[in-house]
Amino acid sequence: MAISEPVSIWQLGAPLGEGPVWVERDQALWFVDIKSHKIHRLDPANGATRSWDSPGQIGFILPIASGGFVAGLQTGLSRFDERDGSFTHICAPEPEKPGNRLNDATVDPQGRLWFGSMDDSEETISGAIYRLGDDGHCIATSPLVAITNGPAVSPDGKILYHVDTLGGVIYACDVDSAGMLVNRREFVRIPYGEGFPDGPTVDSEGCVWVGLYAGWGVRRYSPAGELLEEVKFPVSAITKIAFGGPDLKTVFATTANKHIAPADLAKEPHAGDLFRFEVSVPGQRGVLIREGV
C-alpha cells in the first residue's frame, strides 16, 4: 500500500486525544480529548476548527441519523447537540461502578451503537463491551478487562474486534443474529515492548488498523491477523485513526501526551496533536446511529 508520512495538522497538545470519526454529512472530522473534557471538530476543506466543553470525561462522540451525536461520558451515554452545546442523559450502563468511564465506540452496518467501559485508574479489571439495545438498555457482551478499546466491525458486520489494551490482545468475535458476541478468539497479540494496542479501525478491505500507545506508530493487519503495514510517527502515543475526505483515503490520527514524563516531552513536541497521512486503500463509509436514541 502507498502511504504518506504522518504530519501534524492541529497543534493541540491533548493529554488524551481519542475517538476520531469522519462525519460525512458535515464533511468534517470530530474527535475528543478525554482528560480536557473537550469535543473538537476540524473542517479539512478550509482548515476551520471549533471546540466544545463536555460536562466531564468524554470517550467518544458518534453521529445520530436524526441529528446530533451520542457522547460517551463517565456518567454514561448522553445526546449532544452541537448547535447549543447541550447534553441530554440517555442511560448509565454501570451506575454501580463510579470509578469507570466510557472509552471508545463504533456503529455497525445495522446502525447499532457498540461501546466500551474501563477503569479510570487503568488498574481494576472492571471494563466491558456493551451494545445499546432498542429498548434503551445497555447489554454487556464481553468478559471484563481493565482498559477496553474499540470495538470495530468488519465491512459485512459479522465480525467485531475489541481490545484488551493492558493484555496486549486484539480479540475477534462473531456477531450472532441476536446481536450478541460469540466465538471470541485471539486475533492479534502485540508483544510487550512494542506498544499497547489502543483504538482499532477497519478499512474497506476488512483489514484492522490499530494505534499503538507507547509504540510510535499504527499497524495494519489482514483479516487473518497478518501484519501488513506499520506507519511510524514522530510521537509515541497514537490512540486511534479514522478514514476521511471525499475518497476516504485521508487518515486522521489522534495522539496523547499522558504518561509521558516531562523530561521526555521535549523529545516529542507534537505529542497530543492531530495528525494526517494518505493511503491508497480507503476506509469504510461511516454509519449513523439509527433512529430511536
Side-chain angles (χ1 to χ4, degrees), residues 261-287:
D264 293 330
L265 275 177
K267 305 172 187 176
E268 300 184 43
H270 292 292
D273 289 0
L274 179 70
F275 282 78
R276 182 185 67 208
F277 60 95
E278 306 294 329
V279 295
S280 54
V281 175
Q284 300 183 65
R285 291 205 171 275
V287 180

Side-chain angles (χ1 to χ4, degrees), residues 107-112 114 153-159 284 287-288:
V107 184
D108 71 13
Q110 295 177 255
R112 299 179 297 194
W114 298 80
V153 183
S154 62
D156 61 8
K158 295 181 179 180
I159 301 174
Q284 300 183 65
V287 180
L288 302 174

Side-chain angles (χ1 to χ4, degrees), residues 20-40:
V21 57
W22 179 256
V23 180
E24 192 169 6
R25 68 188 179 201
D26 301 336
Q27 287 295 294
L29 183 84
W30 294 74
F31 62 104
V32 301
D33 180 354
I34 296 173
K35 295 302 179 182
S36 296
H37 306 177
K38 291 286 189 182
I39 296 169
H40 298 300

Side-chain angles (χ1 to χ4, degrees), residues 55-71:
Q57 295 191 96
I58 179 167
F60 63 84
I61 182 169
L62 289 168
I64 307 169
S66 59
F69 296 80
V70 171

Side-chain angles (χ1 to χ4, degrees), residues 174-278:
D174 297 327
V175 183
D176 69 14
S177 59
M180 299 302 290
L181 302 183
V182 297
N183 189 26
R184 182 175 182 264
R185 61 223 179 249
E186 186 174 303
F187 173 67
V188 167
R189 179 177 291 272
I190 296 179
Y192 184 78
E194 295 182 11
F196 296 94
D198 207 309
T201 307
V202 181
D203 67 22
S204 60
E205 293 185 343
C207 295
V208 178
W209 292 75
V210 64
L212 296 178
Y213 206 106
W216 298 86
V218 298
R219 290 181 176 179
R220 181 181 187 240
Y221 292 91
S222 75
E226 175 190 6
L227 178 60
L228 301 177
E229 274 97 20
E230 184 165 10
V231 182
K232 288 298 187 180
F233 277 66
V235 296
S236 60
I238 297 82
T239 54
K240 192 171 183 177
I241 68 159
F243 295 87
D247 59 3
L248 298 177
K249 292 182 179 179
T250 298
V251 180
F252 299 94
T254 48
T255 68
N257 60 35
K258 184 175 180 283
H259 296 310
I260 300 174
D264 293 330
L265 275 177
K267 305 172 187 176
E268 300 184 43
H270 292 292
D273 289 0
L274 179 70
F275 282 78
R276 182 185 67 208
F277 60 95
E278 306 294 329

